[in-house]
PDB file of all heavy atoms in Angstrom:
ATOM      1  N   VAL Y 569    -103.462-138.888  49.273  1.00 98.00           N
ATOM      2  CA  VAL Y 569    -103.989-139.262  50.562  1.00 98.00           C
ATOM      3  C   VAL Y 569    -102.809-139.822  51.422  1.00 98.00           C
ATOM      4  O   VAL Y 569    -102.225-140.804  51.143  1.00 98.00           O
ATOM      5  CB  VAL Y 569    -105.064-140.385  50.471  1.00 98.00           C
ATOM      6  CG1 VAL Y 569    -105.638-140.788  51.814  1.00 98.00           C
ATOM      7  CG2 VAL Y 569    -106.169-139.923  49.509  1.00 98.00           C
ATOM      8  N   SER Y 570    -102.526-139.080  52.441  1.00 98.00           N
ATOM      9  CA  SER Y 570    -101.494-139.496  53.394  1.00 98.00           C
ATOM     10  C   SER Y 570    -101.708-140.839  54.040  1.00 98.00           C
ATOM     11  O   SER Y 570    -102.798-141.050  54.581  1.00 98.00           O
ATOM     12  CB  SER Y 570    -101.331-138.409  54.510  1.00 98.00           C
ATOM     13  OG  SER Y 570    -100.294-138.810  55.432  1.00 98.00           O
ATOM     14  N   GLY Y 571    -100.815-141.793  53.884  1.00 98.00           N
ATOM     15  CA  GLY Y 571    -100.928-143.063  54.527  1.00 98.00           C
ATOM     16  C   GLY Y 571    -101.614-144.120  53.669  1.00 98.00           C
ATOM     17  O   GLY Y 571    -101.811-145.215  54.098  1.00 98.00           O
ATOM     18  N   ALA Y 572    -102.054-143.725  52.463  1.00 98.00           N
ATOM     19  CA  ALA Y 572    -102.822-144.664  51.598  1.00 98.00           C
ATOM     20  C   ALA Y 572    -101.925-145.687  51.025  1.00 98.00           C
ATOM     21  O   ALA Y 572    -100.736-145.357  50.643  1.00 98.00           O
ATOM     22  CB  ALA Y 572    -103.619-143.918  50.497  1.00 98.00           C
ATOM     23  N   SER Y 573    -102.408-146.899  50.784  1.00 98.00           N
ATOM     24  CA  SER Y 573    -101.587-147.940  50.152  1.00 98.00           C
ATOM     25  C   SER Y 573    -102.521-148.937  49.513  1.00 98.00           C
ATOM     26  O   SER Y 573    -103.667-149.105  49.892  1.00 98.00           O
ATOM     27  CB  SER Y 573    -100.657-148.684  51.109  1.00 98.00           C
ATOM     28  OG  SER Y 573    -101.397-149.387  52.144  1.00 98.00           O
ATOM     29  N   ASN Y 574    -101.975-149.554  48.399  1.00 98.00           N
ATOM     30  CA  ASN Y 574    -102.757-150.647  47.727  1.00 98.00           C
ATOM     31  C   ASN Y 574    -102.383-151.933  48.547  1.00 98.00           C
ATOM     32  O   ASN Y 574    -101.355-152.551  48.342  1.00 98.00           O
ATOM     33  CB  ASN Y 574    -102.390-150.769  46.316  1.00 98.00           C
ATOM     34  CG  ASN Y 574    -103.256-151.642  45.520  1.00 98.00           C
ATOM     35  OD1 ASN Y 574    -104.143-152.280  46.092  1.00 98.00           O
ATOM     36  ND2 ASN Y 574    -103.094-151.778  44.281  1.00 98.00           N
ATOM     37  N   ASN Y 575    -103.292-152.412  49.413  1.00 96.00           N
ATOM     38  CA  ASN Y 575    -102.972-153.457  50.374  1.00 96.00           C
ATOM     39  C   ASN Y 575    -103.398-154.737  49.911  1.00 96.00           C
ATOM     40  O   ASN Y 575    -104.592-155.026  49.570  1.00 96.00           O
ATOM     41  CB  ASN Y 575    -103.759-153.092  51.672  1.00 96.00           C
ATOM     42  CG  ASN Y 575    -103.486-154.010  52.833  1.00 96.00           C
ATOM     43  OD1 ASN Y 575    -103.717-155.223  52.768  1.00 96.00           O
ATOM     44  ND2 ASN Y 575    -102.837-153.464  53.863  1.00 96.00           N
ATOM     45  N   ALA Y 576    -102.476-155.633  49.746  1.00 93.00           N
ATOM     46  CA  ALA Y 576    -102.722-156.946  49.158  1.00 93.00           C
ATOM     47  C   ALA Y 576    -103.568-157.770  50.072  1.00 93.00           C
ATOM     48  O   ALA Y 576    -104.460-158.521  49.620  1.00 93.00           O
ATOM     49  CB  ALA Y 576    -101.351-157.719  48.959  1.00 93.00           C
ATOM     50  N   GLN Y 577    -103.426-157.629  51.306  1.00 94.00           N
ATOM     51  CA  GLN Y 577    -104.295-158.383  52.300  1.00 94.00           C
ATOM     52  C   GLN Y 577    -105.710-157.985  52.234  1.00 94.00           C
ATOM     53  O   GLN Y 577    -106.642-158.808  52.227  1.00 94.00           O
ATOM     54  CB  GLN Y 577    -103.715-158.202  53.706  1.00 94.00           C
ATOM     55  CG  GLN Y 577    -104.526-159.091  54.768  1.00 94.00           C
ATOM     56  CD  GLN Y 577    -104.018-158.929  56.134  1.00 94.00           C
ATOM     57  OE1 GLN Y 577    -102.986-158.134  56.324  1.00 94.00           O
ATOM     58  NE2 GLN Y 577    -104.555-159.535  57.076  1.00 94.00           N
ATOM     59  N   GLN Y 578    -105.974-156.722  52.055  1.00 95.00           N
ATOM     60  CA  GLN Y 578    -107.290-156.226  51.877  1.00 95.00           C
ATOM     61  C   GLN Y 578    -107.876-156.130  50.554  1.00 95.00           C
ATOM     62  O   GLN Y 578    -109.057-156.053  50.314  1.00 95.00           O
ATOM     63  CB  GLN Y 578    -107.433-154.715  52.578  1.00 95.00           C
ATOM     64  CG  GLN Y 578    -107.166-154.744  54.057  1.00 95.00           C
ATOM     65  CD  GLN Y 578    -108.098-155.598  54.813  1.00 95.00           C
ATOM     66  OE1 GLN Y 578    -109.277-155.724  54.540  1.00 95.00           O
ATOM     67  NE2 GLN Y 578    -107.488-156.245  55.840  1.00 95.00           N
ATOM     68  N   GLY Y 579    -107.000-156.321  49.608  1.00 94.00           N
ATOM     69  CA  GLY Y 579    -107.476-156.427  48.142  1.00 94.00           C
ATOM     70  C   GLY Y 579    -107.840-155.052  47.536  1.00 94.00           C
ATOM     71  O   GLY Y 579    -108.521-155.062  46.576  1.00 94.00           O
ATOM     72  N   GLY Y 580    -107.337-154.044  48.063  1.00 97.00           N
ATOM     73  CA  GLY Y 580    -107.568-152.696  47.406  1.00 97.00           C
ATOM     74  C   GLY Y 580    -106.888-151.611  48.274  1.00 97.00           C
ATOM     75  O   GLY Y 580    -106.194-151.837  49.200  1.00 97.00           O
ATOM     76  N   TYR Y 581    -107.237-150.276  47.880  1.00 98.00           N
ATOM     77  CA  TYR Y 581    -106.601-149.236  48.543  1.00 98.00           C
ATOM     78  C   TYR Y 581    -107.243-148.960  49.923  1.00 98.00           C
ATOM     79  O   TYR Y 581    -108.520-148.986  50.065  1.00 98.00           O
ATOM     80  CB  TYR Y 581    -106.773-147.935  47.698  1.00 98.00           C
ATOM     81  CG  TYR Y 581    -105.689-147.842  46.644  1.00 98.00           C
ATOM     82  CD1 TYR Y 581    -105.886-148.365  45.397  1.00 98.00           C
ATOM     83  CD2 TYR Y 581    -104.410-147.223  46.871  1.00 98.00           C
ATOM     84  CE1 TYR Y 581    -104.897-148.304  44.420  1.00 98.00           C
ATOM     85  CE2 TYR Y 581    -103.496-147.179  45.926  1.00 98.00           C
ATOM     86  CZ  TYR Y 581    -103.685-147.687  44.689  1.00 98.00           C
ATOM     87  OH  TYR Y 581    -102.761-147.639  43.726  1.00 98.00           O
ATOM     88  N   VAL Y 582    -106.358-148.811  50.890  1.00 98.00           N
ATOM     89  CA  VAL Y 582    -106.738-148.517  52.252  1.00 98.00           C
ATOM     90  C   VAL Y 582    -106.022-147.255  52.765  1.00 98.00           C
ATOM     91  O   VAL Y 582    -105.016-146.939  52.168  1.00 98.00           O
ATOM     92  CB  VAL Y 582    -106.536-149.675  53.225  1.00 98.00           C
ATOM     93  CG1 VAL Y 582    -107.376-150.946  52.786  1.00 98.00           C
ATOM     94  CG2 VAL Y 582    -105.044-150.011  53.276  1.00 98.00           C
ATOM     95  N   PHE Y 583    -106.456-146.681  53.874  1.00 98.00           N
ATOM     96  CA  PHE Y 583    -105.839-145.512  54.396  1.00 98.00           C
ATOM     97  C   PHE Y 583    -106.288-145.341  55.840  1.00 98.00           C
ATOM     98  O   PHE Y 583    -107.257-146.024  56.305  1.00 98.00           O
ATOM     99  CB  PHE Y 583    -106.197-144.267  53.603  1.00 98.00           C
ATOM    100  CG  PHE Y 583    -107.721-144.238  53.219  1.00 98.00           C
ATOM    101  CD1 PHE Y 583    -108.639-143.834  54.128  1.00 98.00           C
ATOM    102  CD2 PHE Y 583    -108.120-144.673  52.032  1.00 98.00           C
ATOM    103  CE1 PHE Y 583    -109.940-143.805  53.862  1.00 98.00           C
ATOM    104  CE2 PHE Y 583    -109.503-144.664  51.652  1.00 98.00           C
ATOM    105  CZ  PHE Y 583    -110.417-144.238  52.616  1.00 98.00           C
ATOM    106  N   PRO Y 584    -105.585-144.473  56.653  1.00 98.00           N
ATOM    107  CA  PRO Y 584    -106.036-144.210  57.965  1.00 98.00           C
ATOM    108  C   PRO Y 584    -107.470-143.656  57.964  1.00 98.00           C
ATOM    109  O   PRO Y 584    -107.736-142.757  57.225  1.00 98.00           O
ATOM    110  CB  PRO Y 584    -105.060-143.218  58.516  1.00 98.00           C
ATOM    111  CG  PRO Y 584    -103.769-143.408  57.666  1.00 98.00           C
ATOM    112  CD  PRO Y 584    -104.372-143.784  56.331  1.00 98.00           C
ATOM    113  N   CYS Y 585    -108.317-144.125  58.889  1.00 98.00           N
ATOM    114  CA  CYS Y 585    -109.691-143.617  58.831  1.00 98.00           C
ATOM    115  C   CYS Y 585    -109.737-142.121  59.125  1.00 98.00           C
ATOM    116  O   CYS Y 585    -110.772-141.526  58.729  1.00 98.00           O
ATOM    117  CB  CYS Y 585    -110.483-144.382  59.887  1.00 98.00           C
ATOM    118  SG  CYS Y 585    -110.802-146.107  59.422  1.00 98.00           S
ATOM    119  N   ASN Y 586    -108.811-141.596  59.822  1.00 98.00           N
ATOM    120  CA  ASN Y 586    -108.839-140.135  60.083  1.00 98.00           C
ATOM    121  C   ASN Y 586    -108.178-139.280  59.012  1.00 98.00           C
ATOM    122  O   ASN Y 586    -107.894-138.110  59.125  1.00 98.00           O
ATOM    123  CB  ASN Y 586    -108.270-139.849  61.455  1.00 98.00           C
ATOM    124  CG  ASN Y 586    -106.789-140.196  61.496  1.00 98.00           C
ATOM    125  OD1 ASN Y 586    -106.221-140.704  60.558  1.00 98.00           O
ATOM    126  ND2 ASN Y 586    -106.140-139.989  62.677  1.00 98.00           N
ATOM    127  N   ALA Y 587    -107.824-139.910  57.846  1.00 98.00           N
ATOM    128  CA  ALA Y 587    -107.135-139.172  56.811  1.00 98.00           C
ATOM    129  C   ALA Y 587    -108.119-138.170  56.225  1.00 98.00           C
ATOM    130  O   ALA Y 587    -109.352-138.341  56.168  1.00 98.00           O
ATOM    131  CB  ALA Y 587    -106.807-140.177  55.697  1.00 98.00           C
ATOM    132  N   ASN Y 588    -107.491-137.053  55.711  1.00 97.00           N
ATOM    133  CA  ASN Y 588    -108.323-135.993  55.049  1.00 97.00           C
ATOM    134  C   ASN Y 588    -108.376-136.255  53.587  1.00 97.00           C
ATOM    135  O   ASN Y 588    -107.316-136.151  52.849  1.00 97.00           O
ATOM    136  CB  ASN Y 588    -107.614-134.673  55.287  1.00 97.00           C
ATOM    137  CG  ASN Y 588    -108.360-133.450  54.717  1.00 97.00           C
ATOM    138  OD1 ASN Y 588    -109.528-133.521  54.516  1.00 97.00           O
ATOM    139  ND2 ASN Y 588    -107.718-132.330  54.541  1.00 97.00           N
ATOM    140  N   LEU Y 589    -109.451-136.844  53.143  1.00 98.00           N
ATOM    141  CA  LEU Y 589    -109.575-137.178  51.708  1.00 98.00           C
ATOM    142  C   LEU Y 589    -109.985-136.052  50.824  1.00 98.00           C
ATOM    143  O   LEU Y 589    -110.925-135.292  51.144  1.00 98.00           O
ATOM    144  CB  LEU Y 589    -110.561-138.348  51.574  1.00 98.00           C
ATOM    145  CG  LEU Y 589    -110.297-139.614  52.327  1.00 98.00           C
ATOM    146  CD1 LEU Y 589    -111.461-140.645  52.189  1.00 98.00           C
ATOM    147  CD2 LEU Y 589    -108.996-140.244  52.107  1.00 98.00           C
ATOM    148  N   PRO Y 590    -109.347-135.926  49.646  1.00 98.00           N
ATOM    149  CA  PRO Y 590    -109.770-134.859  48.724  1.00 98.00           C
ATOM    150  C   PRO Y 590    -110.992-135.329  47.997  1.00 98.00           C
ATOM    151  O   PRO Y 590    -111.369-136.509  47.959  1.00 98.00           O
ATOM    152  CB  PRO Y 590    -108.591-134.749  47.772  1.00 98.00           C
ATOM    153  CG  PRO Y 590    -107.957-136.098  47.792  1.00 98.00           C
ATOM    154  CD  PRO Y 590    -108.090-136.628  49.205  1.00 98.00           C
ATOM    155  N   SER Y 591    -111.706-134.384  47.458  1.00 98.00           N
ATOM    156  CA  SER Y 591    -112.860-134.754  46.667  1.00 98.00           C
ATOM    157  C   SER Y 591    -112.430-135.361  45.318  1.00 98.00           C
ATOM    158  O   SER Y 591    -111.206-135.288  44.991  1.00 98.00           O
ATOM    159  CB  SER Y 591    -113.723-133.446  46.467  1.00 98.00           C
ATOM    160  OG  SER Y 591    -112.910-132.504  45.652  1.00 98.00           O
ATOM    161  N   PHE Y 592    -113.369-135.905  44.617  1.00 98.00           N
ATOM    162  CA  PHE Y 592    -113.124-136.471  43.325  1.00 98.00           C
ATOM    163  C   PHE Y 592    -114.241-135.976  42.345  1.00 98.00           C
ATOM    164  O   PHE Y 592    -115.433-136.132  42.681  1.00 98.00           O
ATOM    165  CB  PHE Y 592    -113.090-137.983  43.372  1.00 98.00           C
ATOM    166  CG  PHE Y 592    -112.861-138.606  41.996  1.00 98.00           C
ATOM    167  CD1 PHE Y 592    -111.568-138.778  41.450  1.00 98.00           C
ATOM    168  CD2 PHE Y 592    -113.861-139.078  41.244  1.00 98.00           C
ATOM    169  CE1 PHE Y 592    -111.305-139.290  40.190  1.00 98.00           C
ATOM    170  CE2 PHE Y 592    -113.709-139.694  39.982  1.00 98.00           C
ATOM    171  CZ  PHE Y 592    -112.311-139.797  39.446  1.00 98.00           C
ATOM    172  N   SER Y 593    -113.842-135.503  41.193  1.00 98.00           N
ATOM    173  CA  SER Y 593    -114.898-134.916  40.311  1.00 98.00           C
ATOM    174  C   SER Y 593    -114.813-135.554  38.927  1.00 98.00           C
ATOM    175  O   SER Y 593    -113.690-135.841  38.436  1.00 98.00           O
ATOM    176  CB  SER Y 593    -114.728-133.424  40.184  1.00 98.00           C
ATOM    177  OG  SER Y 593    -114.767-132.720  41.386  1.00 98.00           O
TER     178      SER Y 593
END
Side-chain angles (χ1 to χ4, degrees):
V569 179
S570 178
S573 64
N574 192 356
N575 187 294
Q577 182 178 0
Q578 295 302 320
Y581 278 91
V582 299
F583 43 80
C585 290
N586 62 0
N588 183 21
L589 301 182
S591 61
F592 179 81
S593 302

